[in-house]
């Protein structure tokens, strides 16, 4: 990039701006919408200028939604709590199960290990709705439908393959000699896993956990089918804004802003881990 | 040099902001003549690879200018510099087989097929990769990939060939054979080449001139024998030469027509005044401390001499390397026969003043080499 | 002093044998050098002994005890790796201390142990640094300190000087014998550098395709190599190899070089007429004043300096290349025709078809004489 002429620089700048505009505009528009009432949102032509209002946020937080048809109770905050609970627990379970499995797949080439690893990955390929139909019936029979445990279990379909495959790559990047050296020094294999493999793959595990969290958070279909109102995450809960008296765009926008805030904050915070994780790939000692 | 093809003038390289970041190459100026082979020699982090990458165009020149064949090239992208490069790591195009990789530049230049085949065959024979020309890069060994990369660079008719540790992955025996052949190949075609290496044997065998670098600074730029016999400073003196030069700090005292060099641990070397030339005597007259360097093959065992005790004696087939406890450290001797010495054996060593290298104790600059001033 | 025995050890990867039915016995306190080109199986063999790679077949005995089934942490070996394999997230101190920590030593013992070995290796001033803040030489010494600190009876050194610069490599080559002798450990040292092998090894095992091609003292290997390929691995510049067909007469066996007969010792008349390869070490050829008896005329081509030696490339009358080396600074011809004499007792004869050496009592007895 050091050999660019002025025109190249300008063209590059324009291209970058276009890309940023294209991707950021919807987010920006939603952010603006969340400070407007339905009337200002729906006026024609749309305008960038309006009197900002916090009514959408207050109604979401208090759970009282004022519409022309009267007041409506919504459980948005409860949904937000559900989202946090489901995502955090799913990722935690997936990490506990997935990291040791990833280590095993990375270090021990046993018969059929590639096949098993691929089978696990293939869970990601299956259309969720196809899986859901039989699953719903089974869950109902064993009493797992509409429970947090059941949902967290199903969420493993999202989180586990992701963590397994990303973390496995990080483990494979650690030179086996480093682990050998620790074993030969007199430590057990478990100590080697804990003191060498885990810390060295740490950034990768953090990155995989973060991605899994985002995927879990954004999941819609599983919760839609398997959870009733009190167990619903925000993605499903947002349907409540499509009311009999019209779609509450302002509240939806505010709900979106609130629901992407945690993942956005997490992603920004973890960014440096992600970068560190990539640069640590060159662990040569 | 009469016919300069490459010229670096006052080149600096900073990683990070100019004046603040890591100063990898410092105020480097050098001219290389057409048809010359130059080796950039130094340990890792000395700035040799940064220099090469700036010439190739993979790194920006922070300050200064580079010109090649009369054109200023430091602003040009790599493809417009007419420079061929062989990489240390493997850099073959994975979807092409070895033959296509080597022929790549010639194909792009639309040379007739017969000509391409002839030249690929020639280079492949030179590098002993004829048998793997149809193989894919991922199916051959590291050493073979490196030779293919070298072949891809050598086959071109570029203004300048850059070779970055081109033989680092090869077996020592093959390396020894290829050195001679590659030099012959380059010289026969009148190519100009810059070789980056940390291996002085390679630099000595291939290069017309060696540029010794350390800490981003060019230490000395001269023919191999000049570097060896007249190192410009302590760094070059101890870096070049295998085994490395013996170095001792010495306190200087004079009187009674004698010069006495007091080393540590009570060891002293006594010389007649006449052992040094007048010019050298004048140059060291005002100093009370100097650093002396003695090449291992200039140290001899003798009946009369300074006492030392053998620490190890290693026979290598055609040479014996002896290290002896001497003046609080080790002194290394090279003998060309088998010396039957055991650890602990007493020996006495004789140091010929005409083989002494004398350096300034404060800045390491060379003062004298034997009877000649530096 | 702990002995180490390997019995019929085999290990293959993807159906290709890397170590093939290898048997080797190493005396207590001995330094054995494993020497061979890359891919010969040297590193795999070390890893088998350390226990981080499992053998397909065979036994490993340390001090007479069968450890084949033992975990690496139970074997009591120390190992230094070619790529150092330092723990990147630990300081140099913690790196070196890890064997002591594993053996549950007290804090004071750990501190004292690390300090002592660090001082010996001159890295006591960088103990608080992280590996990436260390120079290559310091990394190498840290790795060595980690291998030494627990005073393991078996020490495995996997080409530890490969990745350090020439100067340091030379210094370590001089230092290591003293360091190892003081420890009394049994050492297996892997290297690709024949000089390191000859300088450090009590014995050298030349490994070729997973088997031991020759096992012997440095003298035996250098002066009496079993085959052409072993002869080529030792010596710099490499040995001259000339195709010859020896002739026999009542005086002895002769090979022709530049149409002049060269006496070959140590083989009988049966080699006459066989296709052979004559091996002449460059340093066993010397320039002589003129065309005296036994002189071989050569044409001088080029001269290059090589580590305190001057190497001359010459052509025989049959246009075959001959490398001749002499101490740097001694006089020698630079062009034209010159005459050389060969130290006949150092000449070696190999069978061209098999590559194996023919006869060779002379060189063997020479080796014995050298060793005495």
């Amino acid at each position: 990039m050091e050999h660019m002429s002025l025109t190249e620089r300008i063209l590059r700048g324009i291209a970058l701006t276009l890309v940023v505009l294209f991707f950021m505009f919807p987010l920006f528009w939603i952010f603006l919408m969340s400070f407007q009432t339905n009337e200002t949102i729906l006026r024609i032509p749309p305008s960038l200028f309006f009197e900002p209002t916090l009514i959408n946020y207050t109604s979401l937080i208090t759970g009282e939604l004022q519409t022309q048809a009267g007041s409506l109770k919504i459980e948005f905050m409860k949904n937000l709590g559900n989202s946090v609970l489901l995502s955090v627990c799913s990722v935690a379970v997936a990490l506990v199960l997935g990291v040791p499995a990833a280590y095993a797949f990375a270090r021990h080439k046993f018969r059929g290990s590639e096949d098993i690893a691929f089978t696990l990955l293939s869970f990601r390929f299956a259309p969720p709705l196809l899986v859901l139909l039989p699953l719903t019936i089974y869950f109902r029979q064993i009493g797992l439908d509409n429970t947090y445990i059941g949902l967290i279990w199903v969420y493993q379909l999202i989180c586990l393959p992701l963590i397994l495959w990303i973390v496995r790559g990080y483990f494979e990047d650690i030179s086996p000699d480093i682990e050998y050296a620790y074993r030969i020094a007199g430590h057990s294999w478990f100590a080697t896993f804990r003191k060498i493999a885990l810390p060295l793959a740490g950034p990768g595990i953090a990155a995989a956990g973060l991605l899994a969290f985002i995927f879990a958070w954004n999941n819609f279909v599983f919760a839609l089918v398997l959870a009733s109102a009190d167990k619903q995450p925000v993605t499903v809960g947002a349907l409540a804004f499509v009311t009999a008296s019209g779609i509450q765009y302002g509240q939806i926008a505010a709900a979106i802003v609130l629901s992407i805030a945690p993942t956005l904050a997490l992603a920004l915070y973890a960014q440096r881990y992600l970068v560190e994780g990539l640069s640590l790939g060159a662990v040569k000692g | 040099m009469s016919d300069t093809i490459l010229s670096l003038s006052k080149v600096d390289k900073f990683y990070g902001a100019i004046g603040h970041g890591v100063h990898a190459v410092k105020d480097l100026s050098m001219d290389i003549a057409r048809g010359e082979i130059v080796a950039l020699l130094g340990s890792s982090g000395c700035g040799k690879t940064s220099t090469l990458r700036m010439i190739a165009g993979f790194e920006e020149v922070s300050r200064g200018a580079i010109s090649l064949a009369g054109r200023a090239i430091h602003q040009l992208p790599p493809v417009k510099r007419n420079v061929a490069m062989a990489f240390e790591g493997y850099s073959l195009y994975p979807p092409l087989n070895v033959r296509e990789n080597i022929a790549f530049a010639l194909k792009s230049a639309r040379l007739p097929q017969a000509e391409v085949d002839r030249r690929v065959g020639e280079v492949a024979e030179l590098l002993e990769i004829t048998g793997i020309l149809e193989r894919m890069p991922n199916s051959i060994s590291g050493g073979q990939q490196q030779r293919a990369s070298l072949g891809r660079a050598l086959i071109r008719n570029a203004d300048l060939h850059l070779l970055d540790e081109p033989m680092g992955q090869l077996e020592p025996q093959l390396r020894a054979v290829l050195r001679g052949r590659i030099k012959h190949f380059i010289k026969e075609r009148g190519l100009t080449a810059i070789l980056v290496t940390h291996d002085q044997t390679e630099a000595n065998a291939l290069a017309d001139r060696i540029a010794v670098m350390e800490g981003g600074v060019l230490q000395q730029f001269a023919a191999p024998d000049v570097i060896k016999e007249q190192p410009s400073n302590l760094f070059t003196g101890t870096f070049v030469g295998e085994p490395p030069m013996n170095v001792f700090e010495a306190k200087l005292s004079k009187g009674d027509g004698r010069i006495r060099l007091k080393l540590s641990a009570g060891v002293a070397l006594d010389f007649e005044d006449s052992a040094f030339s007048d010019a050298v005597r004048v140059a060291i007259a005002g100093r009370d401390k100097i650093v002396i360097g003695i090449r291992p093959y200039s140290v001899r065992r003798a009946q009369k001499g300074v006492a030392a005790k053998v620490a190890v004696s290693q026979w290598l087939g055609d040479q014996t390397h002896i290290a002896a406890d001497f003046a609080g450290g080790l002194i290394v001797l090279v003998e060309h026969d088998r010396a039957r010495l055991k650890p602990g054996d007493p020996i006495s060593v004789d140091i010929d003043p005409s083989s002494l290298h004398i350096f300034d104790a404060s800045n390491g600059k060379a003062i004298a080499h034997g009877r000649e001033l530096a | 002093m702990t002995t180490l025995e390997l019995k019929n050890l085999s290990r293959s990867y993807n159906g290709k044998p890397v170590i093939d039915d290898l048997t080797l016995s190493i005396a207590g306190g001995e330094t054995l050098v494993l020497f061979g080109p890359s891919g010969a199986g040297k590193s795999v063999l070390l890893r088998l002994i350390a226990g981080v790679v499992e053998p397909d077949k065979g036994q490993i005995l340390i001090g007479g005890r069968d450890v084949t089934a033992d975990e690496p942490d139970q074997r009591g070996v120390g190992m230094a790796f070619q790529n150092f394999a330092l723990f990147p997230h630990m300081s140099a101190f913690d790196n070196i201390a890890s064997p002591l920590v594993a053996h549950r030593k007290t804090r004071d013992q750990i501190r004292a142990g690390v300090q002592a070995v660090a001082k010996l290796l001159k890295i006591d001033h960088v103990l608080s640094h992280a590996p990436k803040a260390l120079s290559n030489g310091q990394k190498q010494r840290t790795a060595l300190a980690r291998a030494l600190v627990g005073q393991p009876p078996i020490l495995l050194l996997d080409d530890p000087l490969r990745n350090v610069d020439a100067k340091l490599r030379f210094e370590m080559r001089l230092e290591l014998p003293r360091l190892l002798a003081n420890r009394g450990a049994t050492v297996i040292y892997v290297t690709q550098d024949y000089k390191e092998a000859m300088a450090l090894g009590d014995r050298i095992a030349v490994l070729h395709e997973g088997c031991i091609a020759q096992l012997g003292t440095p003298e035996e290997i250098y002066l009496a190599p079993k085959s052409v390929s072993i002869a080529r691995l030792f010596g710099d510049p490499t040995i001259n190899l000339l195709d010859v067909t020896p002739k026999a007469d009542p005086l002895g066996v002769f090979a022709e070089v530049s149409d002049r007969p060269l006496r070959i010792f140590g083989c009988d008349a049966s080699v006459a007429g066989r296709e052979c390869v004559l091996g002449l070490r460059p340093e066993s050829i010397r320039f002589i004043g003129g065309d005296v008896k036994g002189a071989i005329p050569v044409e001088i081509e080029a001269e290059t300096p090589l580590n305190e030696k001057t190497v001359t490339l010459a052509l025989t009358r049959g246009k075959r290349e001959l490398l001749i080396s002499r101490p740097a600074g001694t006089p020698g011809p630079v062009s034209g025709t010159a005459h050389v004499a060969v130290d006949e007792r150092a000449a070696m004869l190999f069978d061209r078809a098999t590559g194996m050496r023919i006869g060779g009592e002379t060189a063997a007895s020479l080796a014995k004489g050298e060793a005495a």
Side-chain angles (χ1 to χ4, degrees):
Chain A
M1 44 203 238
E2 47 262 25
H3 306 289
M4 266 196 311
S5 68
L6 189 65
T7 34
E8 275 174 313
R9 267 173 225 259
I10 291 171
L11 283 175
R12 195 180 142 94
I14 291 171
L16 273 176
T17 318
L18 283 175
V19 169
V20 167
L21 266 179
F22 183 78
F23 283 105
M24 292 306 287
F25 181 75
L27 283 176
F28 177 67
W29 196 248
I30 284 167
F31 186 71
L32 290 185
M33 270 165 68
S34 73
F35 292 102
Q36 299 175 51
T37 59
N38 244 13
E39 295 81 66
T40 47
I41 292 169
L42 293 173
R43 79 186 154 188
I44 292 175
S47 163
L48 272 177
F49 303 100
F50 58 90
E51 231 171 274
T53 167
L54 283 175
I55 180 129
N56 295 322
Y57 289 95
T58 50
S59 60
L60 279 178
I61 288 163
T62 57
E64 296 281 334
L65 181 58
Q66 305 299 331
T67 67
Q68 282 106 333
S71 118
L72 186 73
K73 279 201 79 69
I74 51 158
E75 307 215 12
F76 180 75
M77 293 316 284
K78 172 84 176 154
N79 291 339
L80 202 61
N82 283 339
S83 274
V84 172
L85 181 80
L86 287 173
S87 306
V88 168
C89 291
S90 304
V91 171
V93 170
L95 283 176
V96 168
L97 297 175
V99 170
Y103 185 69
F105 284 126
R107 281 287 175 260
H108 303 283
K109 301 288 172 221
F110 47 92
R111 189 196 295 251
S113 64
E114 281 309 310
D115 301 333
I116 298 174
F118 186 77
T119 307
L120 283 166
L121 183 68
S122 69
F123 292 164
R124 293 286 298 151
F125 309 153
L129 279 172
L130 210 68
V131 182
L132 267 171
L133 199 67
L135 210 58
T136 318
I137 301 168
Y138 285 133
F139 268 36
R140 205 159 279 160
Q141 279 168 356
I142 55 176
L144 274 177
D145 64 321
N146 199 25
T147 61
Y148 286 122
I149 293 177
L151 279 172
I152 289 167
W153 194 354
V154 177
Y155 271 36
Q156 295 311 312
L157 280 178
I158 309 164
C159 298
L160 200 55
L162 207 66
I163 284 177
L164 194 71
W165 276 80
I166 296 178
V167 174
R168 178 189 173 173
Y170 277 88
F171 280 135
E172 278 171 348
D173 279 352
I174 303 171
S175 156
D177 282 351
I178 292 178
E179 288 179 28
Y180 291 163
Y182 203 68
R183 293 281 339 249
I184 293 167
H187 300 270
S188 67
W189 73 263
F190 187 67
T192 309
F193 174 65
R194 237 163 28 94
K195 294 286 177 59
I196 302 293
L198 276 188
L200 290 182
I205 295 171
L210 179 76
L211 269 178
F213 182 87
I214 292 170
F215 276 88
W217 184 275
N218 290 344
N219 181 267
F220 176 74
V221 179
F222 288 147
L224 177 72
V225 178
L226 286 172
S228 67
D230 64 324
K231 304 283 187 329
Q232 275 173 355
V234 280
T235 42
V236 182
L239 286 177
F241 300 111
V242 185
T243 64
S245 57
I247 300 169
Q248 304 302 315
Y249 290 105
Q251 272 92 3
I252 292 180
I256 289 172
V257 171
L258 281 182
S259 63
I260 62 172
T263 43
L264 196 66
L266 203 62
L268 287 177
Y269 168 75
Q271 207 172 20
R272 71 200 161 95
Y273 285 102
L274 294 176
V275 173
E276 212 177 279
L278 293 174
S279 57
L280 208 85
V283 190
K284 283 187 182 154
Chain B
M1 288 292 151
S2 51
D3 186 11
T4 301
I5 185 160
L6 178 78
S7 168
L8 279 75
S9 94
K10 294 184 175 305
V11 168
D12 278 277
K13 176 66 198 173
F14 289 95
Y15 289 99
I18 292 177
H20 294 285
V22 178
H23 202 170
V25 176
K26 294 173 187 163
D27 195 31
L28 176 65
S29 295
M30 59 198 288
D31 287 339
I32 292 171
R34 191 179 293 277
E36 198 175 21
I37 305 176
V38 167
L40 299 180
L41 177 68
S43 47
S44 62
C46 73
K48 58 187 194 297
T49 302
S50 294
T51 304
L52 196 76
R53 295 176 66 85
M54 283 192 286
I55 298 170
F58 303 136
E59 292 290 352
E60 200 174 357
V61 175
S62 305
R63 260 200 310 249
I66 301 177
S67 70
L68 176 63
R71 306 181 295 156
I73 58 160
H74 56 280
Q75 303 279 21
L76 296 177
V79 286
K80 294 188 185 157
R81 296 188 180 198
N82 196 18
V83 164
M85 180 150 170
F87 294 86
E88 178 182 10
Y90 328 118
S91 55
L92 301 178
Y93 310 122
L96 304 183
N97 69 22
V98 173
R99 175 190 295 282
E100 291 159 342
N101 261 287
I102 294 176
F104 192 80
L106 304 186
K107 282 266 176 66
S108 317
R110 291 167 200 269
L111 258 65
Q113 188 61 41
E115 166 82 358
V116 172
D117 286 345
R118 187 185 61 77
R119 280 168 64 175
V120 171
E122 203 174 68
V123 168
E125 198 168 323
L126 174 88
L127 300 169
E128 298 190 5
I129 47 175
T130 311
I132 55 160
L133 280 178
E134 313 307 327
R135 303 263 294 272
M136 299 306 282
N138 61 9
S139 73
I140 58 178
S141 75
Q144 291 168 330
Q145 290 188 38
Q146 197 170 35
R147 277 179 278 161
S149 173
L150 184 56
R152 192 176 57 181
L154 287 178
I155 203 168
R156 291 180 54 191
N157 286 328
D159 285 331
L160 183 64
H161 287 74
L162 303 175
L163 315 176
D164 187 7
E165 303 272 7
M167 292 186 265
Q169 304 288 332
L170 307 187
E171 305 273 319
Q173 285 77 25
L174 183 60
R175 214 181 300 173
V177 175
L178 287 192
R179 270 180 216 135
R181 285 197 206 155
I182 291 171
K183 177 163 187 171
H184 188 74
F185 183 92
I186 293 175
K187 286 289 168 197
E188 203 175 57
R189 284 158 184 76
L191 306 177
T192 311
I194 300 181
L195 162 83
V196 157
T197 181
H198 68 276
D199 178 356
Q200 48 175 301
T201 312
E202 198 162 294
N204 275 319
L206 273 166
D208 300 311
R209 283 194 295 165
I210 299 176
V212 181
M213 292 185 73
E214 171 66 10
V217 178
L218 181 63
Q219 305 286 330
Q220 191 168 6
F221 185 27
D225 55 326
V226 174
I227 299 245
K228 182 129 183 240
E229 280 151 32
Q230 296 154 31
S232 63
N233 59 29
L234 203 49
F235 176 81
T236 312
T238 53
F239 187 77
V240 179
E242 201 181 332
M245 182 187 269
N246 295 294
V247 171
F248 301 97
E249 273 201 359
K251 282 208 177 99
L252 208 61
S253 60
K254 288 180 284 279
D256 295 344
R258 302 183 72 80
I259 290 176
R260 163 172 271 237
L261 301 174
K262 267 166 76 181
L263 315 182
S264 54
V267 174
L269 304 172
D270 267 323
F271 299 111
E272 304 270 336
D273 266 358
S274 58
F276 296 93
S277 65
D278 293 344
V280 173
R281 270 211 308 277
V282 170
I284 60 173
R287 299 166 192 267
D288 52 19
K289 229 170 144 191
I290 54 172
V291 173
I292 56 169
I294 316 132
R295 295 272 177 212
Y297 61 93
S298 305
V299 186
R300 297 195 196 288
R301 282 194 284 156
Q303 296 298 87
K304 268 180 27 185
V306 187
K309 206 164 81 185
V310 174
V312 290
S313 166
Q314 299 178 334
W315 178 66
L316 305 177
D318 56 345
Q319 288 181 342
T320 309
H321 291 180
I322 304 160
D325 290 311
F326 175 82
L330 285 177
I331 189 165
V332 177
L333 298 73
V334 170
E335 296 187 355
H336 290 276
D337 323 306
R338 172 123 207 231
R340 290 164 200 285
L341 293 168
K342 290 188 304 294
D345 283 355
I347 54 171
S348 48
V349 296
D350 177 39
I351 289 164
D352 177 1
S354 68
S355 64
L356 273 189
H357 299 269
I358 301 175
F359 301 95
D360 188 307
S362 57
N363 61 19
K365 284 230 164 65
I367 299 168
H369 304 292
R371 297 182 67 85
E372 306 287 324
L373 279 185
Chain C
M1 300 267 193
T2 311
T3 59
L4 175 66
E5 279 170 273
L6 312 176
K7 287 185 181 164
N8 306 98
L9 220 50
S10 294
R11 167 76 201 203
S12 53
Y13 283 95
N14 302 326
K16 250 181 76 184
V18 176
I19 297 294
D20 196 1
D21 196 30
L22 185 142
T23 298
L24 181 63
S25 148
I26 302 158
E30 182 182 2
T31 299
L32 180 100
V33 170
L34 271 182
F35 179 87
S38 56
K42 306 183 298 284
S43 290
V44 174
L45 188 57
L46 277 202
R47 281 159 176 73
L48 283 168
I49 299 168
V52 292
V53 172
E54 283 172 30
D56 299 332
K57 262 200 338 240
Q59 273 182 311
I60 300 162
L61 285 83
I62 294 179
R65 189 171 64 91
D66 187 344
V67 298
T68 320
D70 287 9
E71 291 289 310
D73 45 316
Q74 304 300 324
R75 296 197 180 188
V77 302
M79 181 159 172
F81 292 81
Q82 180 191 313
N83 55 10
F84 313 134
L86 296 177
F87 314 130
H89 57 309
M90 297 184 190
S91 68
F93 183 96
D94 289 336
N95 264 283
I96 299 171
S98 80
L100 301 180
V101 173
H103 292 102
R104 307 193 184 284
K105 294 281 196 288
T106 66
R107 263 201 137 123
D108 291 339
Q109 283 173 319
I110 292 173
R111 191 176 305 273
V114 173
Q115 285 293 349
V117 71
K119 205 159 177 202
L120 197 66
L121 289 165
K122 299 175 204 131
I123 44 169
D124 40 337
H125 57 294
V126 293
L127 285 178
S128 62
H129 293 15
K132 68 176 171 200
L134 299 175
S135 72
N136 247 12
Q138 289 165 343
K139 280 183 199 167
Q140 187 268 325
R141 281 163 186 264
T142 306
L144 200 58
R146 188 177 64 188
L148 291 173
V149 73
Q151 310 251 358
I154 305 281
L155 206 51
L156 309 173
L157 307 177
D158 187 2
D159 215 345
L161 305 184
R162 177 88 186 267
N163 289 327
V164 299
D165 65 55
K167 191 176 160 199
L168 194 70
R169 191 156 52 218
F170 179 77
E171 284 168 7
M172 286 303 290
R173 198 171 87 202
L174 293 180
E175 270 178 56
L176 269 175
R178 265 213 274 205
L179 209 64
L180 299 176
N182 289 343
R183 298 256 149 187
T186 304
V187 183
I188 300 195
Y189 188 102
V190 162
T191 183
Q192 278 194 312
D193 178 343
Y194 89 91
K195 289 181 186 170
E196 260 172 54
M198 294 194 55
L200 298 176
D202 294 322
R203 285 190 301 162
I204 300 172
V206 182
L207 213 58
H208 181 66
E209 289 181 354
C211 302
I212 293 177
Q214 188 171 3
L215 176 67
T217 61
E219 289 81 4
E220 286 164 355
I221 305 262
Y222 191 83
L223 300 171
K226 266 192 181 167
S227 68
V228 172
S229 53
I230 296 171
R232 274 170 55 90
L233 289 174
F234 287 78
D236 186 22
T238 42
I239 190 167
N240 294 296
L241 296 169
L242 307 172
D243 287 350
V244 293
T245 309
K247 289 177 185 138
D249 65 27
L251 291 171
V253 178
F254 295 88
E256 270 190 358
V257 178
S258 276
D259 308 330
R260 303 287 172 97
L262 181 72
R263 172 108 193 254
I264 311 285
F265 289 85
C267 40
D268 52 40
S270 67
V271 299
R274 224 156 113 186
E275 294 205 317
C276 291
V277 174
L278 177 69
L280 300 172
R281 296 250 178 234
E283 71 272 12
S284 72
I285 309 173
R286 63 183 193 282
F287 289 108
I288 50 174
D291 195 359
V292 294
K293 187 172 176 294
I296 295 169
V298 292
E299 210 60 45
I300 306 295
E301 283 276 297
E303 187 181 277
T304 46
L306 179 80
N307 305 335
E308 319 307 351
K309 285 180 288 192
T310 304
V311 179
T312 307
L313 173 67
L315 291 182
T316 65
R317 280 202 183 144
K319 295 289 172 216
R320 292 184 295 192
E321 290 186 351
L322 208 57
L323 291 171
I324 302 154
S325 84
R326 62 179 199 272
T330 53
V334 287
S335 64
T337 305
H339 290 87
V340 296
V342 173
D343 177 0
E344 291 170 333
R345 292 194 173 269
M348 307 169 203
L349 202 61
F350 302 93
D351 185 282
R352 205 183 302 169
T354 63
M356 301 308 282
R357 206 158 61 93
I358 299 168
E361 289 85 14
T362 339
S365 59
L366 192 67
K368 285 216 181 69
E370 289 282 347

